[in-house]
């Protein structure tokens, strides 16, 4: 029998028990009344002894049944009781009553007569008649109850000497058998009705269960993040919206972003990434109270709302969280770790709507991540100003090429030995809505929003094109700055090849300037790319040397062509700058690369650098960056600070400089 049938049968048995016990008390009382009437109404010395024994037996059976009926009523009725057991108890009671009755009838047919006998027969017959409906919930009892009650007595009457009683016996037998058939029908009908009722009930119940399961599934699908089991964005937003819709105590919203997660995802695989996210979610769950909102906002971002929490304790909690989240994860056979940067927005100080709170906390996280990873910051208005400026610049940058807002200026690089021009460094300028934005401001934004690839390619193409025109036969190179992100792009080598091909510039006249940070990413692939570029004939220099880390070791391991000493050291030539320059020159000698000093602003610096043996000089002392159209005349005029036409020069923002 399958589970559903079992359940159906169980319900049918329970209902049958309810029907049977439902009539029990009235049945017992009627039986008590009729039996007492028969016993006490007729004064017959012949049956008196029998009755004094019989009546207490009947009373005892009825009392037991009464107790059982009461027990069922109070202990079982409203529970998930065992219907079968209850029915068994009930039919034992009923059948015992039937047997006690039949002994009475048999005795009466043989020991009483006249009115008493007739009354007894009629009474017992009507008891048997009533049973058909009252006992209909149990087929065999309802069928055989009248038989047990009537048949032995009726047979007794058949043996009577009186013809009328014999006739009564025949009638009794006939009645008994008619009752047998009627009760069967009535019982079958009742049984069917119970099955039908419960089949429907089970069906409805099953449907309800299914609907409940589906509803739960839909709830999970639409409200929970399948990977971590945390609230998803939609559910979290709904909950937070509810929260801020009525006046509440101040609270803090923490925007958490993992540090170094992408690296694990990319290098070790998404499976490990998923594990990290799950484990992070568990750590957050363990740290957060049931009543506090926690969600996976997306990717490796999570949000927690700490109710009743003000700034100082939010910062304290954030620090503890960062510590917790930064603990190692053991995943398969490796030990991995990520950090977390947290931004905090406070309700109601910073905002009172859910969207704005999240936006501000996100912003705080974003700025903090740029400053120092795995630390915490609270939102400030200054951040918002910077952010809107950043967005404005980013939007402007996306249209800068197409609206011809970009141009390149060129700053000469001079040979120390004879003051001749060795190269020009291409420096990008952007004029956006009448404002010159310095490259130090817009290049990081272009890098951050992925615009640097397009802009970088534009610079390479234009620089090569322009250099191919001014440099004809002069052996003057062009130096192009390349951002780390461009350098790591697989397509970069093609971009360089195309720029050379389209411009016709000899590869030897193209120098690429990269910063030390490219080596932090992946030393081997960087080193390979440099070799590949060099095989093409291109020269590679390290820009801003000394500002990054591991500088000297990088120099030892890399076969670059040139090193550009950062201008901060040149500016400190009087103090410890000279020592650095000397050290770089010594290494340069042994590793065979050339040295350029950037940011040379004075004659004194020029002389000192020349004395130390720096081969190339670049800086305002020799020339500021020049507009491209001024280069031919600049080249014509020869080179030395005194012969430079300073009116052609532009400053870092691209403005022409008037020098008297
Ligand atoms: P950088 O490559 O170190 O460029 C040298 C910077 O120093 C230039 O600033 C130049 O104008 C400035 N400079 C030159 N001589 C002197 C001097 O004597 N004194 C002082 N104080 N400064 C001097 P600029 O043009 O503002 O460029 C800033 C940075 O922006 C560049 O630093 C470079 O890293 C980046 N950049 C410029 N153009 C591009 C580009 O096309 N692509 C990429 N990726 N970065 C670029
Ligand atoms: Mg440079
Ligand atoms: Mg530099």
């Amino acid at each position: 029998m399958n589970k559903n049938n079992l359940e159906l049968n169980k319900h049918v048995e329970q209902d049958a028990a309810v029907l049977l016990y439902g009539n029990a008390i009235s049945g017992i009382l009627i039986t008590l009344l009729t039996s007492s009437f028969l016993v006490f109404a007729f004064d017959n010395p012949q049956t008196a002894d029998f009755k004094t024994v019989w009546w207490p037996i009947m009373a005892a059976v009825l009392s037991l049944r009464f107790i059982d009926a009461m027990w069922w009523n109070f202990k079982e009725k409203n529970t998930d009781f065992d219907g079968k057991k209850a029915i068994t108890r009930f039919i034992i009671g009923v059948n015992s009553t039937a047997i006690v009755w039949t002994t009475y009838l048999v005795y009466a047919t043989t020991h009483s007569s006249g009115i008493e006998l007739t009354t007894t027969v009629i009474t017992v017959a009507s008891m048997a008649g009533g049973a058909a409906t009252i006992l209909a919930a149990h087929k065999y009892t309802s069928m055989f109850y009248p038989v047990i009650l009537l048949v032995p007595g009726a047979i007794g009457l058949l043996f009577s000497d009186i013809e009328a009683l014999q006739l009564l016996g025949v009638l009794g037998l006939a009645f008994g058998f008619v009752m047998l058939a009627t009760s069967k029908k009535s019982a079958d009908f009742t049984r069917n009705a119970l099955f039908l009722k419960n089949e429907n009930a089970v069906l409805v119940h099953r449907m309800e269960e299914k609907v409940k399961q589906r509803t739960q599934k839909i709830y999970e699908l639409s409200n929970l993040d399948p990977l971590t089991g945390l609230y998803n964005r939609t559910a979290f937003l709904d909950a937070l919206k509810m929260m801020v819709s009525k006046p509440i105590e101040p609270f803090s919203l923490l925007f958490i972003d993992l540090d170094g997660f992408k690296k694990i995802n990319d290098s070790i695989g998404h499976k490990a990434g998923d594990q990290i996210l799950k484990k992070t979610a568990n750590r957050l769950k363990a740290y957060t109270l049931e009543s506090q909102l926690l969600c996976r906002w997306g990717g490796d971002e999570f949000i927690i709302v700490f109710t009743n929490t003000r700034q100082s304790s939010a910062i304290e909690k954030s620090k503890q969280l960062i510590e917790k989240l930064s603990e190692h994860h053991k995943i398969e056979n490796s030990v991995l770790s990520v950090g977390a940067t947290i931004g905090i927005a406070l309700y109601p100080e910073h905002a009172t709507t859910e969207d704005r709170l999240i936006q501000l906390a996100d912003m705080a996280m974003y700025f903090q991540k740029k400053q120092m990873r795995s630390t915490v910051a609270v939102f400030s208005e200054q951040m918002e100003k910077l952010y809107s400026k950043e967005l404005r610049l980013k939007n402007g940058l996306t249209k800068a090429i197409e609206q011809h807002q970009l141009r390149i200026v060129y700053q000469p690089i001079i040979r120390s030995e004879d003051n001749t021009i060795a190269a020009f460094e291409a420096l990008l300028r952007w004029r956006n809505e009448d404002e010159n934005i310095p490259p130090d401001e817009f290049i990081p934004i272009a890098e951050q929003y992925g615009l640097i690839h397009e802009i970088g390619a534009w610079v390479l193409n234009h620089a090569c094109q322009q250099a191919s025109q001014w440099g004809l036969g002069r052996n003057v190179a062009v130096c192009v700055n390349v951002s780390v992100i461009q350098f790591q792009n697989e397509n970069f080598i093609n971009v360089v090849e195309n720029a050379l091909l389209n411009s016709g510039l000899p590869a030897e006249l193209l120098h690429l300037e990269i910063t030390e940070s490219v080596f932090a990413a992946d030393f081997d692939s960087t080193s390979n790319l440099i070799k590949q570029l060099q095989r093409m004939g291109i020269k590679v220099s390290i820009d801003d040397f000394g500002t990054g880390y591991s500088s000297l070791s990088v120099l030892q391991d890399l076969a670059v062509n040139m090193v550009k000493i950062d201008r901060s050291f040149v500016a400190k030539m009087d103090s410890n700058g000279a020592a650095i320059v000397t050290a770089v020159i010594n290494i340069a000698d042994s590793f065979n690369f050339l040295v350029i000093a950037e940011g040379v602003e004075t004659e004194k610096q020029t002389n000192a650098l020349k004395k130390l043996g720096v081969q190339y000089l670049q800086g305002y002392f020799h020339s500021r960056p020049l507009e491209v159209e001024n280069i031919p005349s600049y080249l014509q005029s020869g080179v030395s600070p005194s012969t430079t036409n300073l009116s052609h020069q532009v400053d870092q923002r691209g403005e022409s400089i008037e020098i008297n």
Side-chain angles (χ1 to χ4, degrees), residues 425 481 513 543 564 598:
E425 179 178 3
N481 291 286
E513 297 190 5
D543 202 355
K564 296 184 83 172
E598 296 183 299

Side-chain angles (χ1 to χ4, degrees), residues 453-520:
H453 300 290
E454 199 191 345
I455 292 176
W458 184 91
V459 173
L460 258 169
N461 277 311
H462 278 70
C464 290
Q465 200 80 47
Q466 293 173 337
S468 71
Q469 284 160 23
W470 80 57
L472 283 174
R474 282 180 177 271
N475 213 21
V476 176
V478 63
C479 307
V480 178
N481 291 286
V482 175
S483 142
V484 184
I485 296 172
Q486 277 174 279
F487 210 71
Q488 280 159 0
N489 190 311
E490 304 157 356
N491 200 32
F492 179 67
I493 202 99
N494 297 333
V495 174
V496 177
E497 271 171 346
N498 281 340
L500 289 175
L501 209 69
N502 294 340
S503 63
L505 184 79
E508 294 67 36
L509 294 186
L510 177 62
H511 296 184
L512 296 180
E513 297 190 5
I514 52 176
T515 54
E516 290 162 76
S517 51
V518 291
F519 306 108

Side-chain angles (χ1 to χ4, degrees), residues 421 424 470-471 474 476 626 630-639:
I421 300 164
F424 286 98
W470 80 57
R474 282 180 177 271
V476 176
L626 305 163
N630 297 328
I631 290 183
S633 59
Y634 183 84
L635 283 169
Q636 289 287 316
S637 66
V639 186

Side-chain angles (χ1 to χ4, degrees), residues 411 425-429 439-440 443 452 459 481-483 486 513 543-544 567 598-601 618-621 625 652:
Q411 186 175 34
E425 179 178 3
L427 295 163
L428 187 57
R429 294 292 176 264
D440 287 337
I443 296 284
I452 194 68
V459 173
N481 291 286
V482 175
S483 142
Q486 277 174 279
E513 297 190 5
D543 202 355
D544 303 338
R567 63 170 175 267
E598 296 183 299
V600 184
E601 291 181 343
Q618 177 185 4
Y620 294 167
F621 179 66
Q652 275 162 282

